[in-house]
Amino acid sequence: MLAVLGCAGAAVAADGRSADVDEQAQANQVEDIIVTAARRETRLQDTPQAVNALTSEVLVARGFRRLNDLAGVAAGVSIPNQSLGTQAIFIRGIGTTRPIGNPSVGVYIDDVYIPRSFGAGWYGSLPDIERVEILHGPQGTLYGQNSSAGAVKLISRDPTDTPRVWGEVGFGNLDAREGRAYLAGPLTDTLSGSLAVSTLRQDGPDENVTLGRKVGALSGDQVRAILRWRPDDRLDVRLSGDILRDRSEYRTASPRNVVGAGVRRTFSDIDPQQTFDGGGVTLRADYRLSDQLSLSSITAWRAFEMELPTDTDGVATYLSGFVQRLDQDQLSQELQLSGDFGRLSFTTGALAYRENFDVWRHSWSNNAFSLLESQSDTASYGLYAQGDYKLTERLTATLGLRTSFERKEMDAAGWRSDVDAVLGIQTFEIEGLKKDYRSTVPKAALSYRVTPEILTYVSYAQGTTSGGFNAAPGNGTVAAIPIGQEKVSAYEAGAKGNFLGARLQGGLAVFYNDYTDYQASITNPVIDGVPVTGAVIQNAGDAHIYGAELEIALRPTERLDAALSLAHMRS
């Protein structure tokens, strides 16, 4: 009996030392992240495409507050330092700085598509963000149109039965005051909830001589509430709602050719404060039909209203600028069926999307004033499927296909006006513009596991950016000419793996993107022989972009993390 107890004690001690060693080894490893880039959960290092993933811990450690804080964390991703009200994103050299047009990089909040970048600069300020994923290259098969360059996904944290309270306050220069808080926990045996809030105030850095005050201030508030109902182990229902209020001031121009000019000094007589009120409601239900099949439904409504003054001359005369009011609402419904049958795993689904977008713009140029109004409607429907099949234990084939139908409609009218936006002579009116677009985009890939820790892959994919009409046309000629779909064929090869006992994680991707009917914002173009003043979105021709991306993450000790992102591109 004593011998047995002694052996047992020795075994416990050995297990204890083994557990300590395992915990220490895991602490020194680069984090193994689960992502949903393929619309189902996979390990980041097992996902055969270029993906960046930042967990909540990394976001907090790096001081991530807003979307432009992602700049520099991913190879081939550029996020210009624009105003928080209109944040552009470029992946592998492709994006758009005109937020009123169709994006080439899709932004998704909890799998709900955000069609325009107005207000997007604030995304990420809420402390309930669990993960941010950046998907490189066309995502047309699983994510649809307007993701021809890639996609950015923000995933919020599900409330659980574990109570959680978190908060922080911050202070900075320009009298900056920021606060964020998160509260989550159980409400009943089957219901849990969470509440996340953020607020920011910061004085402006620019001197406005005409208004006699500092301008360029930041002022934003955001709230998200989530209820999660789990009556059994098969059904998971989540209802979320968010609100964003932005009263920041637009950064006006600093002219160089006036008396008293200087850096961060403007002479504009336009009040730069913008108003943005937006938000949405999302209902998601996941039901496990069996051990192999699950069904998901995502129903979402989102809307915003915005007034944005833009003075592009920076002087107290009406040389160049505009004030625009925007009103958008959207409704979407997606059904998704996912399966995992060992060698075969797949995701298939259907999506219906409707959007209304109204524009009112009062513009001036050399003391001449104009007014335009437009109403745009979009109806889009899509079917998609993508699956992985293990040909051998090491070799996996991926096939995907998406077919879409989209109808764009617009009415537009313009008038001469005065400084007070009083209507004058009508310059154009067009009603009943309509254009249908159809697209079918495939994806094919092969991935090969060289060793248990190294994955290689090659892929071919297509993507599109929606066509439509210029929603803020300067004249009837611009309004009447539809924009064609932008199309891209993308070729990619890559490798990713863990080394040195998972202390080193690396990924390399090389790519070639072939664009046709590339959409560009063209200033003062000639359309059908008619010179057009101003910026117009049109199909500019073909484009070719190729390059390579390198990502390295290193954790030499439990307390030290190092990362390297490097991209080289030619076009």
Side-chain angles (χ1 to χ4, degrees), residues 236-401:
D236 192 341
V237 180
R238 178 180 135 144
L239 177 66
S240 65
D242 64 276
I243 297 173
L244 169 60
R245 180 183 184 273
D246 183 8
R247 295 296 183 271
S248 301
E249 293 178 333
Y250 189 86
R251 298 291 298 278
T252 52
S254 297
R256 296 289 184 265
N257 56 346
V258 298
V259 177
V263 177
R264 295 190 179 278
R265 174 175 288 185
T266 181
F267 299 84
S268 170
D269 60 346
I270 304 297
D271 185 347
Q273 186 181 68
Q274 66 179 13
T275 62
F276 180 97
D277 295 288
V281 178
T282 301
L283 176 64
R284 175 168 186 144
D286 299 307
Y287 186 73
R288 189 161 55 85
L289 299 171
S290 66
D291 292 339
Q292 294 79 30
L293 288 173
S294 61
L295 180 67
S296 298
S297 170
I298 305 173
T299 307
W301 171 85
R302 299 194 65 84
F304 74 80
E305 293 180 351
M306 182 180 192
E307 180 170 323
L308 177 63
T310 304
D311 188 350
T312 56
D313 54 57
V315 294
T317 57
Y318 292 98
L319 292 181
S320 176
F322 60 86
V323 175
Q324 68 180 3
R325 298 170 187 162
L326 310 174
D327 188 345
Q328 176 191 294
D329 64 87
Q330 65 184 80
L331 180 66
S332 62
Q333 173 63 54
E334 184 172 7
L335 293 175
Q336 186 181 104
L337 179 68
S338 299
D340 189 344
F341 292 87
R343 299 177 73 92
L344 173 66
S345 57
F346 66 86
T347 299
T348 183
L351 173 68
Y353 173 87
R354 297 191 68 90
E355 173 197 306
N356 301 305
F357 183 52
D358 297 340
V359 177
W360 179 96
R361 177 180 286 188
H362 181 221
S363 305
W364 53 89
S365 177
N366 294 319
N367 291 298
F369 300 88
S370 62
L371 187 70
L372 73 85
E373 294 181 354
S374 72
Q375 299 82 39
S376 302
D377 297 320
T378 299
S380 180
Y381 309 93
L383 297 172
Y384 62 88
Q386 183 169 306
D388 299 333
Y389 185 76
K390 291 185 177 181
L391 301 172
T392 70
E393 288 302 314
R394 294 188 176 191
L395 183 63
T396 300
T398 300
L399 291 176
L401 190 70

Side-chain angles (χ1 to χ4, degrees), residues 19-193:
D20 292 340
V21 172
D22 289 344
E23 289 180 3
Q24 182 63 37
Q26 290 179 358
N28 291 339
Q29 293 176 353
V30 177
E31 185 177 1
D32 189 16
I33 303 175
I34 301 299
V35 298
T36 56
R39 302 301 296 269
R40 53 188 175 82
E41 292 187 349
T42 59
R43 292 177 63 245
L44 176 63
Q45 293 301 90
D46 291 341
T47 305
Q49 65 180 92
V51 180
N52 296 99
L54 291 86
T55 63
S56 58
E57 292 79 7
V58 173
L59 297 175
V60 170
R62 297 190 180 185
F64 177 80
R65 294 292 186 275
R66 282 158 288 280
L67 203 59
N68 60 10
D69 290 332
L70 290 175
V73 304
V77 178
S78 174
I79 303 180
N81 189 20
Q82 294 178 288
S83 71
L84 291 177
T86 54
Q87 182 61 66
I89 306 173
F90 290 76
I91 297 180
R92 292 179 174 173
I94 297 296
T96 179
T97 56
R98 289 203 72 195
I100 207 168
N102 297 315
S104 298
V105 177
V107 176
Y108 296 82
I109 297 179
D110 293 327
D111 283 330
V112 176
Y113 173 59
I114 308 299
R116 290 179 179 83
S117 63
F118 293 109
W122 290 100
Y123 297 156
S125 63
L126 286 171
D128 64 346
I129 298 296
E130 181 177 60
R131 189 174 66 257
V132 176
E133 298 178 11
I134 304 174
L135 286 56
H136 301 232
Q139 306 299 319
T141 305
L142 291 177
Y143 293 90
Q145 294 176 330
N146 301 335
S147 58
S148 59
V152 175
K153 298 180 58 177
L154 291 90
I155 298 102
S156 59
R157 181 182 296 109
D158 285 329
T160 66
D161 295 335
T162 303
R164 182 168 182 172
V165 179
W166 180 91
E168 71 171 12
V169 294
F171 303 90
N173 64 330
L174 299 175
D175 198 23
R177 297 90 67 199
E178 182 175 23
R180 303 198 303 158
Y182 179 68
L183 174 66
L187 301 176
T188 68
D189 291 341
T190 59
L191 185 67
S192 56

